[in-house]
Amino acid sequence: MNPFANIVKPTLLLDEAAAMMNIHRMVGKARQQQIRFRPHFKTHQSAEIGEWFRQVGVTAITTSSIDMAQYFADHGWDDITIAFPANLRQSAQLADLVGRVRLGLLIENREAAQHLEGTLPTAVDAWIKIDAGAGRTGLSWSDAAAISDMATEVQSMKKLRLRGLLTHAGHTYSAASPEEVCRRYHESIDHMQAARAVLQRAGYPPVELSVGDTPGCTLCDDLGAVDEIRPGNFIFNDSQQVALGVCSAADIAVALACPVVAKHADRSEIIVYGGAIHLSKDYLMLGETRAYGLVALAEGNRWGPPLEGGYVRGLSQEHGMIRLAQPDFDRVQIGDLVLVLPAHSCLTVTLMRTYRTLDGREITTFNV
Amino acid sequence: MNPFANIVKPTLLLDEAAAMMNIHRMVGKARQQQIRFRPHFKTHQSAEIGEWFRQVGVTAITTSSIDMAQYFADHGWDDITIAFPANLRQSAQLADLVGRVRLGLLIENREAAQHLEGTLPTAVDAWIKIDAGAGRTGLSWSDAAAISDMATEVQSMKKLRLRGLLTHAGHTYSAASPEEVCRRYHESIDHMQAARAVLQRAGYPPVELSVGDTPGCTLCDDLGAVDEIRPGNFIFNDSQQVALGVCSAADIAVALACPVVAKHADRSEIIVYGGAIHLSKDYLMLGETRAYGLVALAEGNRWGPPLEGGYVRGLSQEHGMIRLAQPDFDRVQIGDLVLVLPAHSCLTVTLMRTYRTLDGREITTFNV
């Protein structure tokens, strides 16, 4: 069966074999280094795809929201870390979850610790959120007093079990080279170890370290002395990962099939049905040029390699403006499909909410 | 009732009174200038909100997709232009629609015209899509031969009634000032008139002109010699429109309520639950600074004016990083709500899919 035959509008194609390969690679790497693998499910967001992880022995997962944790709890996952600072306003939902799963929460302030102490029916694992260099959120790895105070606060709570220190080294995404990705990854682990040493010196029982972004976990041979990794994007990868040197385009497991609706020979550009409401407005840099995705064509039952010189030049709500090299421009016809390899697969999945596999099966996400 | 009391996670608030005021203003302007008002419903995407337009006499609408046209047809709208180049692959859906509503389609190539001729059961209104300067898609306004050929092609088809020339002057969004918005708007109308003159000289019967972007239709007192306008964003406006000088912040009718989950005094930044999957990654420029939204606080039963010096500095999947001036930083507490005035309301609506009015009522969109 030709997977492209009956596609009439923007459709998120999923190459299961490529995704499975990506899963196997990361599972194998973690296992070999005896590090717990707690994949972030915010990328695929799907119970069915979650089962692929279960089949290879994964039992612990990460989600980015309480709603997503509830969805996966409903689908039999019972060890879930919500990798987002605890949200006081959702304590009723948290109270429900804590009775059903082993729950890990991120704590980085006294307000959250005290609120949880007052509202949770039983104890959760508390991970102190550390900023190991990314500059998003968490206690600075170098602020020994804040980390120590936070640990004391957590230890004083009956509903919080101090489990460890957790970070997301998101600044690997802005690295200039694969080497810099690894430098930043390892530096973040050094910072985490320094933070843990603060607690050790202060006499706290040993705590775990949880880290893990896709660039670092993919590119660095040695994952370092950590207890668990939590990458998410690696299952699908995307054009940003390719631009960063994290993977090759063949490792991208999702592509948005877009009907061609217009051609502009004067600027060697095609217009596709497929815009910001399908792909998101995230982008990558190709040298000095902003690209909202790379572009491929159908080849047999999959999509082919990215077209040399092809990229998504701009997006409006439903339109994609795609620059193509002359020979590709000439062979693409109105009514054809082109495949956009998303800049950022997590956001594209959030928008599309449903996958179609290459054999035409539908897979839904928790957002449907 | 306090509209903020029971909000626990990112929630799209809708100020109905502000939206209604925006509708009245645009309806009045079009009526006064005797121009048909065919509002673009891609911004609100909601049958219930559509009724507000019907109450003030609107009978013709614009959508950005066939799916959206079907949704509004199901809700009683019977004069719909799909302002997107006709997509050959959806001819079955178009064939269904054409039996139910007066349908307008955008044509800019022979392939679409011929395909529609072969697949539509009855005739539709054909609008030749013109690029009047925006550089997205359409036949160039200055390419007399292409416009004339396209009109000939359309005229030769039984299923296409040549209704007019249509453009979207989207380059008003990149204008440097309100004056430049109006210059570009009027220039695009001059271009449309030049394109129409080509057809008049070639002996075609008179055709209509359809234009209309929110910046131009809001800022320019004289809408020009056109037959219809199709703005959409004006109903809610957003921070991009404020930055462009199109409206004041008081004219923004939607805001994303976001729980505060962390504070970082060293950089006067708060972290909110509310990220790229709620707001989209669209942004505005505040001088040299990229901002993913402006920020306000609750004041009584509405949100207040944007905080001076406050803006969304960055977004990841679920996190918003918000810079605040020192006094605002000091008064915002963990667990509070802040209100983000979206950079681009159309994309935020697409992501959120449901509104909550200030009196706590839920309004859904076609994406739910």
Side-chain angles (χ1 to χ4, degrees), chain A residues 10 12 254-258 272-283 292-294 312 314-322 339-352:
Chain A
L12 186 60
V254 289
L256 189 74
C258 301
V272 298
Y273 180 15
I277 67 166
H278 309 100
L279 288 163
S280 93
K281 289 207 80 162
D282 222 336
Y283 60 87
Y292 296 88
L294 299 174
V312 182
L315 294 174
S316 52
Q317 190 158 341
E318 314 253 6
H319 299 70
M321 285 72 85
I322 295 180
L339 289 303
V340 175
L341 308 178
H344 187 170
S345 59
C346 311
L347 298 187
T348 302
V349 168
T350 299
L351 284 158
M352 294 303 298

Side-chain angles (χ1 to χ4, degrees), chain A residues 77-140:
Chain A
W77 294 92
D78 60 6
D79 185 351
I80 305 177
T81 297
I82 301 170
F84 187 84
N87 172 17
L88 311 194
R89 289 184 167 247
Q90 287 182 291
S91 50
Q93 266 180 279
L94 285 174
D96 165 69
L97 257 180
V98 77
R100 301 163 61 199
V101 307
R102 177 167 190 173
L103 193 63
L105 296 180
L106 272 50
I107 307 293
E108 63 173 282
N109 49 60
R110 178 164 297 177
E111 290 87 340
Q114 290 177 347
H115 192 85
L116 293 171
E117 180 72 0
T119 54
L120 291 180
T122 54
V124 297
D125 289 338
W127 294 89
I128 296 176
K129 178 70 195 290
I130 303 293
D131 179 352
R136 185 172 65 179
T137 195
L139 303 176
S140 170

Side-chain angles (χ1 to χ4, degrees), chain A residues 226-243:
Chain A
V226 296
D227 298 281
E228 73 174 23
I229 56 168
R230 309 179 324 279
N233 184 276
F234 72 91
I235 179 177
F236 297 149
N237 293 305
D238 51 34
S239 294
Q240 286 183 348
Q241 301 289 2
V242 172

Side-chain angles (χ1 to χ4, degrees), chain B residues 129-200:
Chain B
K129 177 72 194 288
I130 303 294
D131 180 353
R136 184 172 67 179
T137 195
L139 303 177
S140 170
W141 67 273
S142 61
D143 190 344
I147 294 168
S148 187
D149 286 354
M150 195 69 247
T152 305
E153 184 80 21
V154 167
Q155 289 281 56
S156 74
M157 302 294 176
K158 289 189 183 61
K159 304 296 174 52
L160 300 178
R161 282 185 301 262
L162 180 59
R163 175 117 185 233
L165 306 179
L166 179 148
T167 198
H168 174 68
H171 56 319
T172 56
Y173 280 87
S174 58
S177 67
E179 294 68 33
E180 193 175 350
V181 166
C182 286
R183 267 200 306 279
R184 290 185 180 188
Y185 177 84
H186 285 299
E187 185 189 70
S188 77
I189 288 176
D190 292 346
H191 293 167
M192 292 298 280
Q193 278 158 352
R196 176 159 64 179
V198 167
L199 299 187
Q200 279 166 334

Side-chain angles (χ1 to χ4, degrees), chain A residues 4-9 42-43 45 64-68 83-90 93 108-109 111-112 129 131 135-139 259-264 267 269 271-274 276-277 281-283 290 313 316-319 321 333-337 344 346-347 350-351 353 367-368, chain B residues 4-9 42-43 45 64-68 83-90 93 108-109 111-112 129 131 135-139 259-264 267 269 271-274 276-277 281-283 290 313 316-319 321 333-337 344 346-347 350-351 353 367-368:
Chain A
F4 307 107
N6 56 354
I7 291 177
V8 302
K9 59 184 176 182
K42 73 172 180 175
T43 303
Q45 306 178 28
S64 57
S65 69
I66 299 173
D67 290 353
M68 202 188 291
F84 187 84
N87 172 17
L88 311 194
R89 289 184 167 247
Q90 287 182 291
Q93 266 180 279
E108 63 173 282
N109 49 60
E111 290 87 340
K129 178 70 195 290
D131 179 352
R136 185 172 65 179
T137 195
L139 303 176
V260 176
V261 295
K263 292 185 70 176
H264 297 286
R267 54 185 199 258
E269 242 175 58
I271 307 299
V272 298
Y273 180 15
I277 67 166
K281 289 207 80 162
D282 222 336
Y283 60 87
R290 194 183 286 194
R313 191 258 299 170
S316 52
Q317 190 158 341
E318 314 253 6
H319 299 70
M321 285 72 85
Q333 301 306 320
I334 288 166
D336 285 358
L337 292 176
H344 187 170
C346 311
L347 298 187
T350 299
L351 284 158
R353 298 187 259 157
N367 264 317
V368 163
Chain B
F4 307 107
N6 56 354
I7 291 177
V8 303
K9 59 184 177 182
K42 73 172 180 176
T43 303
Q45 305 179 29
S64 58
S65 69
I66 298 173
D67 290 353
M68 201 188 291
F84 188 84
N87 171 18
L88 310 194
R89 289 184 169 247
Q90 286 182 291
Q93 266 180 277
E108 63 172 281
N109 49 62
E111 291 87 340
K129 177 72 194 288
D131 180 353
R136 184 172 67 179
T137 195
L139 303 177
V260 176
V261 296
K263 292 184 70 177
H264 297 287
R267 53 184 201 259
E269 240 175 60
I271 306 299
V272 299
Y273 181 16
I277 66 166
K281 290 208 78 162
D282 222 335
Y283 60 86
R290 193 182 286 195
R313 192 257 300 169
S316 54
Q317 189 158 340
E318 314 252 8
H319 299 69
M321 284 73 84
Q333 301 306 320
I334 288 166
D336 285 357
L337 293 176
H344 188 170
C346 312
L347 298 186
T350 300
L351 284 158
R353 297 187 260 158
N367 263 317
V368 163

